[in-house]
DNA sequence: TGCTAAATCTCGAAC
DNA sequence: GTTCGAGGTTTAGCA
């Protein structure tokens, strides 16, 4: 951690003010916004959103977060999703509208929209000077599946040979284009989870277009599993399916990477 | 607010513990979980996620929220999206793993997955007994647009007459099916924001299938605006476009509701 | 319970 | 800057 790595005395990363007055809270928030520090507020508020859509939310006790990059999050005591929000890059206005009331407005310019939070009461205002330089590493994404297939085409079927990936077509991008052991063009559409009817339609469009030039073209949907409707659609459109687990692909890739590193190490 | 409405002395809704020891933090969190209160933690942690996918995130200062309904949210100092999370209904385990280390694990049963947070240091632990009974009201959704069109079909064009909505087809559900002033079947696909090529393709599929039975079938895409690719696709597929604002639809609906209420009132 | 489609989707990469 | 597609998508509605 940068904060502790150099043995200098750490600056206090959390300044908490419990039951602050509206004035104090306004001052803390205003200064934190100026310095681009994160802010955490717990209190009783009403919320108005106007923009692409609009929403109203009556009084309730909520958690409000403003991030360093000026995103806004309002969380209720239940549920994973924020009840109101704005993505990063907002302009904030903080106003004391009466002795005990504080109003925070986040304005996004494009598209023009705003979220207004009117606090009746503030229980807690924290200014957070958080340091967080780590990068998140995510495994078993769709692109891991694509890489795995390109690296070991037999994951699809024996004799499959990729030609290109991300080939552009009039209706979008084909995940993988290749030929099967009989020389037929084969279009691969990858979905990491349960493939829906929509995914089948996407594959069908590519195959349809490609067949105009190359009649002997097959389509194979690759996914962890198939939704009912997708199964029916595949059958009626005469397209193939290959079950493939994103986790298995990711594990295989990491194994490959390890071996490659080893080979390089062995080489020197 | 329920908390203040009855003039009883309010229970303190926020218990904040600044720089708690791992033991104290563990105790606070454990009790809050038992009582289904919300929890807010700020500290230095590493995170491991394993489940449908998997992720690792090295040490950093973050905000952790556990909600009353046992959802988990981990926010970084930047960005709107949580970096790791679990939806409501998790089982939590809180363990002190060494003098200064605290480990919180959220386990979701279906699908089986887990998020493990290892705290090196905790700056703040808050137990939040939040009351929030308000319902959020959201306007200008896609279904508002559909309702508005069904209520006033001339929003599409003069003489348009809806037959059904949400009609099932082999390839999906048609938003609105109707006839135009010349008796042609007309399929309406609605998007609330900017319509993409994907939306045009969806409409094209419906029209294509429907034309097999009824050659005189038109397709109209209804949206706030059109992406470039969507525009091209519409032109080449000979489909129509009608610009319609979700906000306008929502306003119209509320006007209609008001008048209906008035009519009923006038009647009695 | 499973499936389908929307979302104030957001986010990132490619053009 | 716009467009396009993925996402650990989540969530709500309906069969």
């Amino acid at each position: 951690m940068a904060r502790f790595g150099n043995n200098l005395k750490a600056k206090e990363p959390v300044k908490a003010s419990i039951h602050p007055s509206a004035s104090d809270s306004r001052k803390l928030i205003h200064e934190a916004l100026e310095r681009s520090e994160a802010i955490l507020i717990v209190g009783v508020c009403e919320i108005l959103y106007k923009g692409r859509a609009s929403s109203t939310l009556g009084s309730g006790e909520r958690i409000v977060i403003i991030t360093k990059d000026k995103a806004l999050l309002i969380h209720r005591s239940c549920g994973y999703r924020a009840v109101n929000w704005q993505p990063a890059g907002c302009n904030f206005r903080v106003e004391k509208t009466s002795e005990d009331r504080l109003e925070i407005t986040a304005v996004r310019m494009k598209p023009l929209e705003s979220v207004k939070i009117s606090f009746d009461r503030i229980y807690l205002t924290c200014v957070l000077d958080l340091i967080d330089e780590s990068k998140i590493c995510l495994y078993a994404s769709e692109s891991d599946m694509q890489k795995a297939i390109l690296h070991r085409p037999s994951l699809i079927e024996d004799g499959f040979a990729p030609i290109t990936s991300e080939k552009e077509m009039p209706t979008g991008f084909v995940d993988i284009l290749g030929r099967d052991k009989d020389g037929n063009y084969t279009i691969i559409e990858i979905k990491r989870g349960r493939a829906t009817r929509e995914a089948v339609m996407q594959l069908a469009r590519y195959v349809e277009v490609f067949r105009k030039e190359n009649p002997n073209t097959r389509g194979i949907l690759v996914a962890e599993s198939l939704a009912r409707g997708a199964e029916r659609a595949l059958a009626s459109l005469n397209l193939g399916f290959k079950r493939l687990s994103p986790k298995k692909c990711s594990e295989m890739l990491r194994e490959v990477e390890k071996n490659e590193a080893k080979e390089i190490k062995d080489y020197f």
Side-chain angles (χ1 to χ4, degrees), chain A:
Chain A
M1 278 298 306
R3 193 185 297 287
F4 309 106
N6 50 16
N7 279 335
L8 293 177
K9 177 152 178 23
K11 187 157 91 65
E12 176 55 47
V14 174
K15 283 176 283 181
S17 179
I18 295 167
H19 289 294
S21 67
S23 302
D24 290 348
S25 200
R26 198 204 64 83
K27 187 154 174 285
L28 284 170
I29 294 165
H30 189 78
E31 288 170 2
L33 285 168
E34 291 272 300
R35 290 198 298 264
S36 286
E37 292 173 335
I39 304 160
L40 200 157
I41 308 161
V42 181
V44 181
C45 61
E46 293 171 29
I47 303 164
L48 273 178
Y49 158 65
K50 273 181 180 295
R52 290 162 293 174
S54 61
S55 71
T56 62
L57 179 60
S59 191
E61 300 177 326
R62 287 154 203 148
I63 303 167
V64 175
I65 296 173
I66 300 172
T67 59
K68 280 164 69 169
D69 56 354
K70 306 282 193 286
L72 170 69
L73 282 156
I74 303 162
H75 276 285
R76 309 181 74 162
S77 55
C78 285
Y80 149 77
R81 294 280 271 194
V83 67
N84 282 110
W85 71 91
Q86 274 307 301
C90 286
N91 299 315
F92 282 86
R93 205 176 59 228
V94 191
E95 287 172 304
K96 199 180 113 174
T97 53
S98 79
E99 198 45 52
D100 280 329
R101 293 186 69 86
L102 193 70
E103 211 170 270
I104 300 177
T105 310
V107 179
R108 180 190 195 179
M109 296 315 284
K110 200 161 188 280
L112 180 61
E113 49 184 6
S114 67
V115 174
K116 187 167 81 180
I117 314 169
S118 301
F119 283 99
D120 282 335
R121 205 173 277 245
I122 294 179
Y123 300 134
L124 177 69
T125 299
C126 288
V127 175
L128 309 174
D129 180 17
L130 304 182
I131 294 174
D132 185 359
E133 285 157 357
S134 299
K135 295 258 181 297
I136 184 154
C137 301
L138 181 68
Y139 307 98
S141 58
E142 186 180 304
S143 81
D144 277 358
M145 296 177 76
Q146 183 170 335
K147 281 181 209 153
I149 294 168
L150 290 173
H151 199 274
R152 192 180 297 174
S154 63
L155 284 170
I156 298 299
E157 58 184 30
D158 284 335
F160 175 66
I163 301 168
T164 61
S165 61
E166 301 301 329
K167 180 183 168 55
E168 184 165 14
M169 307 263 289
T171 55
F173 287 80
V174 165
D175 285 336
I176 298 177
L177 171 67
R179 283 178 184 270
D180 68 12
K181 65 179 194 305
D182 302 319
N184 301 306
Y185 280 107
T186 304
I187 292 173
I188 308 285
E189 175 69 31
I190 306 169
K191 291 292 163 201
R192 72 173 300 287
R194 177 161 279 236
T196 65
R197 177 158 54 179
E198 197 63 20
V200 178
M201 291 307 148
Q202 209 174 322
L203 175 59
R205 284 199 302 269
Y206 296 139
V207 172
E208 196 180 308
V209 170
F210 208 82
R211 273 189 183 144
K212 286 179 186 164
E213 306 277 316
N214 310 84
N216 293 333
T217 300
R218 300 167 58 202
I220 299 178
L221 181 64
V222 173
E224 169 96 75
S225 63
L226 269 186
R228 189 74 51 82
E231 206 166 347
R232 272 188 280 117
L234 273 181
S236 74
L237 292 161
N238 201 30
L239 298 167
F241 173 67
K242 174 67 192 182
R243 181 193 210 79
L244 195 58
S245 140
K247 263 206 270 194
K248 287 280 161 57
C249 289
S250 147
E251 282 161 18
M252 197 206 84
L253 277 181
R254 300 183 75 181
E255 200 62 38
V256 167
E257 277 165 20
K258 218 192 300 172
N259 290 341
E260 277 173 2
K262 209 175 132 201
E263 276 168 34
I264 290 167
K265 211 177 115 205
D266 290 349
Y267 181 81
F268 287 100

